[in-house]
Coordinates of all heavy atoms in Angstrom, one line a residue:
A15 N -5.4 7.4 10.5 CA -4.3 6.6 9.9 C -4.1 7.0 8.4 O -3.0 7.2 7.9 CB -4.5 5.1 10.1
I16 N -5.2 7.1 7.7 CA -5.2 7.4 6.3 C -4.7 8.8 6.0 O -3.9 9.1 5.1 CB -6.5 7.2 5.6 CG1 -7.0 5.7 5.7 CG2 -6.5 7.7 4.2 CD1 -6.0 4.8 5.0
K17 N -5.1 9.8 6.9 CA -4.6 11.1 6.7 C -3.1 11.2 6.9 O -2.4 12.1 6.3 CB -5.3 12.1 7.7 CG -6.8 12.3 7.5 CD -7.1 12.9 6.1 CE -8.5 13.1 5.9 NZ -8.8 13.7 4.5
Q18 N -2.5 10.4 7.8 CA -1.1 10.3 7.9 C -0.4 9.8 6.6 O 0.7 10.2 6.3 CB -0.7 9.4 9.1 CG -1.1 9.9 10.4 CD -0.7 9.0 11.5 OE1 0.5 8.6 11.7 NE2 -1.6 8.6 12.3
C19 N -1.2 9.0 5.9 CA -0.6 8.5 4.6 C -0.9 9.4 3.4 O -0.3 9.1 2.3 CB -1.3 7.1 4.3 SG -1.1 5.8 5.5
E20 N -1.7 10.4 3.6 CA -2.2 11.2 2.5 C -1.1 11.7 1.5 O -1.2 11.6 0.3 CB -3.1 12.3 3.0 CG -3.8 13.1 1.8 CD -4.7 14.1 2.4 OE1 -4.2 15.0 3.2 OE2 -5.9 14.1 2.0
P21 N 0.0 12.3 2.0 CA 1.1 12.8 1.1 C 1.6 11.8 0.1 O 1.8 12.1 -1.0 CB 2.2 13.3 2.1 CG 1.4 13.6 3.4 CD 0.4 12.6 3.5
A22 N 1.7 10.6 0.6 CA 2.2 9.5 -0.3 C 1.0 9.1 -1.3 O 1.3 8.8 -2.5 CB 2.7 8.3 0.5
L23 N -0.2 8.9 -0.7 CA -1.3 8.4 -1.5 C -1.6 9.3 -2.7 O -1.9 8.8 -3.8 CB -2.5 8.2 -0.6 CG -2.4 7.3 0.5 CD1 -3.8 7.2 1.3 CD2 -2.0 5.9 0.1
V24 N -1.6 10.6 -2.5 CA -2.1 11.5 -3.5 C -1.1 11.8 -4.6 O -1.4 12.4 -5.6 CB -2.6 12.9 -2.9 CG1 -3.7 12.7 -1.9 CG2 -1.4 13.6 -2.2
S25 N 0.1 11.3 -4.4 CA 1.2 11.7 -5.3 C 1.8 10.4 -6.0 O 2.8 10.6 -6.7 CB 2.3 12.5 -4.6 OG 2.8 11.8 -3.5
S26 N 1.2 9.3 -5.8 CA 1.8 8.1 -6.4 C 0.7 7.0 -6.5 O -0.3 7.1 -5.8 CB 2.9 7.5 -5.6 OG 2.6 7.2 -4.3
Y27 N 0.9 6.0 -7.4 CA 0.1 4.9 -7.5 C 0.7 3.7 -6.7 O 2.0 3.7 -6.6 CB -0.2 4.5 -8.9 CG -1.1 5.4 -9.7 CD1 -0.6 6.5 -10.3 CD2 -2.4 5.2 -9.7 CE1 -1.4 7.4 -11.0 CE2 -3.3 6.0 -10.4 CZ -2.8 7.1 -11.0 OH -3.6 8.0 -11.7
A28 N -0.1 2.8 -6.3 CA 0.4 1.7 -5.5 C 1.3 0.7 -6.3 O 1.0 0.4 -7.5 CB -0.7 0.9 -4.8
T29 N 2.3 0.2 -5.7 CA 3.1 -0.9 -6.2 C 2.7 -2.1 -5.4 O 2.8 -2.1 -4.2 CB 4.6 -0.6 -6.0 OG1 5.0 0.6 -6.8 CG2 5.4 -1.8 -6.6
L30 N 2.3 -3.2 -6.1 CA 1.8 -4.4 -5.5 C 2.9 -5.4 -5.4 O 3.5 -5.7 -6.4 CB 0.6 -4.9 -6.3 CG 0.0 -6.3 -5.8 CD1 -0.5 -6.2 -4.4 CD2 -1.1 -6.7 -6.8
T31 N 3.0 -6.0 -4.2 CA 3.9 -7.1 -4.0 C 3.1 -8.2 -3.3 O 2.4 -8.0 -2.3 CB 5.1 -6.7 -3.1 OG1 5.8 -5.7 -3.7 CG2 6.0 -7.9 -2.9
W32 N 3.2 -9.5 -3.8 CA 2.6 -10.6 -3.1 C 3.5 -11.1 -2.0 O 4.7 -11.4 -2.3 CB 2.3 -11.7 -4.2 CG 1.3 -11.4 -5.1 CD1 1.4 -10.8 -6.4 CD2 -0.2 -11.5 -5.0 NE1 0.2 -10.6 -7.0 CE2 -0.8 -11.0 -6.1 CE3 -1.0 -11.9 -3.9 CZ2 -2.2 -11.0 -6.3 CZ3 -2.3 -11.9 -4.1 CH2 -2.9 -11.4 -5.2
L33 N 3.0 -11.3 -0.8 CA 3.7 -11.8 0.3 C 3.4 -13.2 0.6 O 4.0 -13.8 1.6 CB 3.4 -10.9 1.5 CG 3.7 -9.4 1.4 CD1 3.3 -8.6 2.6 CD2 5.2 -9.1 1.0
G34 N 2.6 -13.8 -0.1 CA 2.2 -15.2 0.1 C 0.7 -15.4 -0.3 O 0.1 -14.4 -0.8
K35 N 0.2 -16.6 -0.1 CA -1.2 -16.8 -0.4 C -2.1 -15.9 0.4 O -2.1 -15.8 1.6 CB -1.6 -18.3 -0.2 CG -3.0 -18.6 -0.6 CD -3.3 -20.1 -0.3 CE -4.8 -20.4 -0.8 NZ -5.1 -21.8 -0.5
N36 N -3.0 -15.2 -0.3 CA -3.9 -14.2 0.3 C -3.2 -13.1 1.0 O -3.9 -12.4 1.8 CB -4.9 -14.9 1.2 CG -5.8 -15.9 0.5 OD1 -6.3 -15.6 -0.6 ND2 -6.1 -17.0 1.1
L37 N -2.0 -12.8 0.7 CA -1.2 -11.8 1.4 C -0.6 -10.8 0.4 O 0.0 -11.2 -0.6 CB -0.1 -12.4 2.2 CG -0.5 -13.4 3.3 CD1 0.7 -14.2 3.9 CD2 -1.3 -12.7 4.4
E38 N -0.8 -9.5 0.7 CA -0.3 -8.5 -0.3 C 0.3 -7.3 0.5 O -0.1 -7.0 1.6 CB -1.5 -8.0 -1.1 CG -2.0 -8.9 -2.2 CD -3.2 -8.3 -2.9 OE1 -3.6 -7.2 -2.6 OE2 -3.7 -9.0 -3.9
A39 N 1.2 -6.6 -0.2 CA 1.7 -5.3 0.3 C 1.4 -4.3 -0.9 O 1.8 -4.5 -2.0 CB 3.2 -5.4 0.6
H40 N 0.8 -3.2 -0.5 CA 0.5 -2.1 -1.5 C 1.4 -0.9 -0.9 O 1.1 -0.5 0.2 CB -0.9 -1.7 -1.5 CG -1.8 -2.8 -2.1 ND1 -2.4 -2.7 -3.4 CD2 -2.2 -4.0 -1.7 CE1 -3.1 -3.8 -3.7 NE2 -3.0 -4.6 -2.6
V41 N 2.3 -0.5 -1.7 CA 3.2 0.5 -1.3 C 3.1 1.8 -2.2 O 3.1 1.7 -3.4 CB 4.7 0.0 -1.4 CG1 5.6 1.1 -0.9 CG2 4.9 -1.2 -0.5
F42 N 2.9 2.9 -1.5 CA 2.9 4.2 -2.2 C 4.1 5.0 -1.8 O 4.4 5.2 -0.6 CB 1.6 5.0 -1.7 CG 0.3 4.4 -2.1 CD1 -0.2 3.4 -1.3 CD2 -0.4 4.8 -3.2 CE1 -1.4 2.8 -1.6 CE2 -1.6 4.2 -3.5 CZ -2.1 3.2 -2.7
K43 N 4.9 5.4 -2.8 CA 6.1 6.1 -2.6 C 6.2 7.3 -3.6 O 6.3 7.0 -4.8 CB 7.3 5.2 -2.7 CG 8.6 5.8 -2.2 CD 9.7 4.8 -2.1 CE 11.1 5.4 -1.6 NZ 10.9 6.1 -0.3
S44 N 6.2 8.5 -3.1 CA 6.3 9.7 -3.9 C 7.7 10.0 -4.2 O 8.6 9.6 -3.5 CB 5.5 10.8 -3.3 OG 6.2 11.3 -2.2
E45 N 7.9 10.8 -5.3 CA 9.2 11.3 -5.7 C 9.9 12.1 -4.6 O 11.1 12.2 -4.4 CB 9.2 12.0 -7.0 CG 8.7 11.2 -8.2 CD 8.7 12.0 -9.4 OE1 9.0 13.2 -9.4 OE2 8.4 11.4 -10.5
S46 N 9.0 12.8 -3.8 CA 9.6 13.7 -2.8 C 9.9 13.0 -1.5 O 10.5 13.6 -0.6 CB 8.5 14.8 -2.5 OG 7.3 14.3 -2.0
G47 N 9.6 11.7 -1.4 CA 10.0 10.9 -0.3 C 9.0 10.2 0.6 O 9.3 9.2 1.1
P48 N 7.8 10.8 0.8 CA 6.8 10.1 1.7 C 6.5 8.7 1.2 O 6.4 8.4 0.0 CB 5.6 11.0 1.6 CG 6.1 12.3 1.2 CD 7.2 12.1 0.3
C49 N 6.4 7.8 2.1 CA 6.1 6.4 1.8 C 5.0 5.9 2.8 O 4.9 6.2 3.9 CB 7.4 5.6 2.0 SG 7.2 3.8 1.7
A50 N 4.1 5.1 2.2 CA 3.0 4.5 3.0 C 2.7 3.1 2.5 O 2.9 2.9 1.3 CB 1.7 5.4 2.9
A51 N 2.4 2.2 3.4 CA 2.1 0.8 3.0 C 0.9 0.3 3.6 O 0.5 0.7 4.7 CB 3.4 0.0 3.3
F52 N 0.2 -0.6 2.9 CA -0.9 -1.4 3.4 C -0.5 -2.9 3.3 O -0.2 -3.4 2.2 CB -2.1 -1.1 2.5 CG -2.7 0.3 2.6 CD1 -2.0 1.3 1.9 CD2 -3.8 0.6 3.2 CE1 -2.5 2.6 1.9 CE2 -4.3 1.9 3.3 CZ -3.6 2.9 2.6
L53 N -0.6 -3.6 4.4 CA -0.3 -5.0 4.4 C -1.6 -5.7 4.6 O -2.3 -5.5 5.6 CB 0.7 -5.3 5.5 CG 2.0 -4.5 5.5 CD1 2.9 -5.0 6.7 CD2 2.7 -4.7 4.2
S54 N -1.9 -6.6 3.7 CA -3.3 -7.2 3.7 C -3.3 -8.7 3.8 O -2.5 -9.4 3.2 CB -4.0 -6.8 2.4 OG -4.0 -5.4 2.2
N55 N -4.2 -9.2 4.6 CA -4.4 -10.7 4.7 C -5.9 -10.9 4.4 O -6.8 -10.6 5.1 CB -4.2 -11.1 6.2 CG -4.5 -12.6 6.4 OD1 -4.7 -13.4 5.4 ND2 -4.5 -13.1 7.6
Y56 N -6.1 -11.6 3.2 CA -7.5 -11.8 2.7 C -8.1 -13.1 3.2 O -9.2 -13.4 2.9 CB -7.5 -11.8 1.2 CG -6.9 -10.5 0.6 CD1 -6.3 -10.5 -0.7 CD2 -7.1 -9.3 1.2 CE1 -5.8 -9.4 -1.2 CE2 -6.6 -8.1 0.7 CZ -6.0 -8.2 -0.5 OH -5.5 -7.0 -1.1
D57 N -7.3 -13.9 4.0 CA -7.9 -15.2 4.4 C -8.9 -14.9 5.5 O -8.6 -14.2 6.5 CB -6.7 -16.0 5.0 CG -7.2 -17.5 5.2 OD1 -8.1 -17.7 6.0 OD2 -6.6 -18.4 4.5
P58 N -10.1 -15.5 5.4 CA -11.1 -15.2 6.4 C -11.0 -16.0 7.7 O -11.7 -15.8 8.7 CB -12.4 -15.6 5.7 CG -12.0 -16.6 4.7 CD -10.6 -16.2 4.3

């Protein structure tokens, strides 16, 4: 899964968006177009 994200990861830094309590979206979007996202739930 990460290798599929690699073009976006190596060419940009994450943009962080809060989706709620203990919830985050980290988005990598390069100038050339590739986009990858991580949606996180930190609640145990």
